[in-house]
Amino acid sequence: MLTSSRGFKGLKQAIKLEFKLTRYDAVRIASGAHQLLLTLRQAVEHYKELLTYVKSAVTRNYSEKSINNMLDFIEKSAEDTDAYRCMEQFYALTLDIFKSTNNERLWLKTNIKLARLWLERKDYRQLTDKLRELHKACQQEDGTDDPSKGTYSLEVYSLEILMYADQRNNKRLKVSPLPANWFQHKLTI
């Protein structure tokens, strides 16, 4: 593994190329009489390696921007179920690394981005689970909204309202998920 920005840039290009060529997972190829197994590292494996750079090899801002751009690229390029499965793996790996590095801000942002993707794909089961997880992450231990995460809370409530509108669930829409004093509380901080 190269531990420089060149290695990071090379991995980014390899991942994009492999994704475009639909080479998502590692592939084992048998070769010759001795059945030598050759593993072709492909998009998911290279993405795992790319995420190791987040901890040390490149600046935090550069890695955050690159990872966000990579997720955007994957979202726009995904055209079939295998691509969507690979994209879900990318998100899961990204969320794991942000959680392990205690980067709550990026963990929340990436989860909200994933929730938007579920809404766009009309995958309401996964979206509902993700919204529940995000609501909990935006609360303090006593169950009240955490004022330091007000922007994220608002985005989560917004996604919930959009989901109910998309489902034409007027009953849930009429009962606003926002607490009555939510805006007043956020405006006074």
Side-chain angles (χ1 to χ4, degrees):
M1 176 176 82
L2 297 171
T3 56
S4 69
S5 63
R6 275 194 226 154
F8 188 78
K9 289 176 184 177
L11 282 171
K12 287 190 325 183
Q13 295 308 313
I15 293 164
K16 288 177 183 178
L17 181 61
E18 289 161 346
F19 199 84
K20 280 288 189 187
L21 296 173
T22 68
R23 295 179 180 165
Y24 307 123
D25 296 317
V27 177
R28 292 181 168 256
I29 300 173
S31 171
H34 299 293
Q35 293 299 317
L36 172 68
L37 287 178
L38 171 67
T39 302
L40 296 177
R41 296 183 63 206
Q42 300 200 325
V44 173
E45 289 300 314
H46 281 129
Y47 190 69
K48 286 178 189 175
E49 186 176 341
L50 180 93
L51 290 174
T52 64
Y53 284 76
V54 172
K55 295 179 182 175
S56 61
V58 293
T59 66
R60 183 175 173 153
N61 286 343
Y62 180 58
S63 66
E64 288 175 16
K65 183 178 178 186
S66 296
I67 288 169
N68 197 38
N69 288 341
M70 182 65 64
L71 292 174
D72 287 342
F73 173 82
I74 298 301
E75 275 181 45
K76 291 174 184 157
S77 301
E79 296 176 352
D80 60 20
T81 48
D82 287 338
Y84 283 121
R85 188 179 47 77
C86 180
M87 181 180 55
E88 289 171 6
Q89 285 182 288
F90 274 50
Y91 269 100
L93 291 167
T94 304
L95 291 168
D96 286 347
I97 197 76
F98 289 154
K99 194 151 196 121
S100 73
T101 58
N102 292 323
N103 196 332
E104 188 177 32
R105 180 184 63 83
L106 284 177
W107 183 86
L108 282 165
K109 285 176 72 172
T110 304
N111 263 310
I112 289 171
K113 185 176 185 147
L114 182 57
R116 280 194 200 104
L117 181 65
W118 296 142
L119 179 65
E120 185 179 300
R121 291 181 58 203
K122 299 183 186 311
D123 190 339
Y124 301 121
R125 186 191 57 74
Q126 291 204 62
L127 176 58
T128 301
D129 293 344
K130 186 59 65 183
L131 291 174
R132 192 174 298 120
E133 179 183 10
L134 284 165
H135 275 302
K136 190 170 188 152
C138 291
Q139 293 176 343
Q140 297 176 340
E141 288 181 19
D142 65 359
T144 60
D145 283 343
D146 185 344
S148 68
K149 298 175 187 163
T151 302
Y152 301 115
S153 280
L154 186 57
E155 287 188 63
V156 173
Y157 284 121
S158 168
L159 287 167
E160 192 170 15
I161 290 168
L162 288 170
M163 177 182 72
Y164 293 141
D166 207 24
Q167 292 175 317
R168 294 181 179 15
N169 188 340
N170 294 328
K171 184 177 180 181
R172 293 292 290 179
L173 272 174
K174 288 178 185 175
V175 180
S176 173
L178 291 171
N181 64 348
W182 196 85
F183 287 106
Q184 181 182 8
H185 172 68
K186 300 305 178 214
L187 293 174
T188 58
I189 293 178

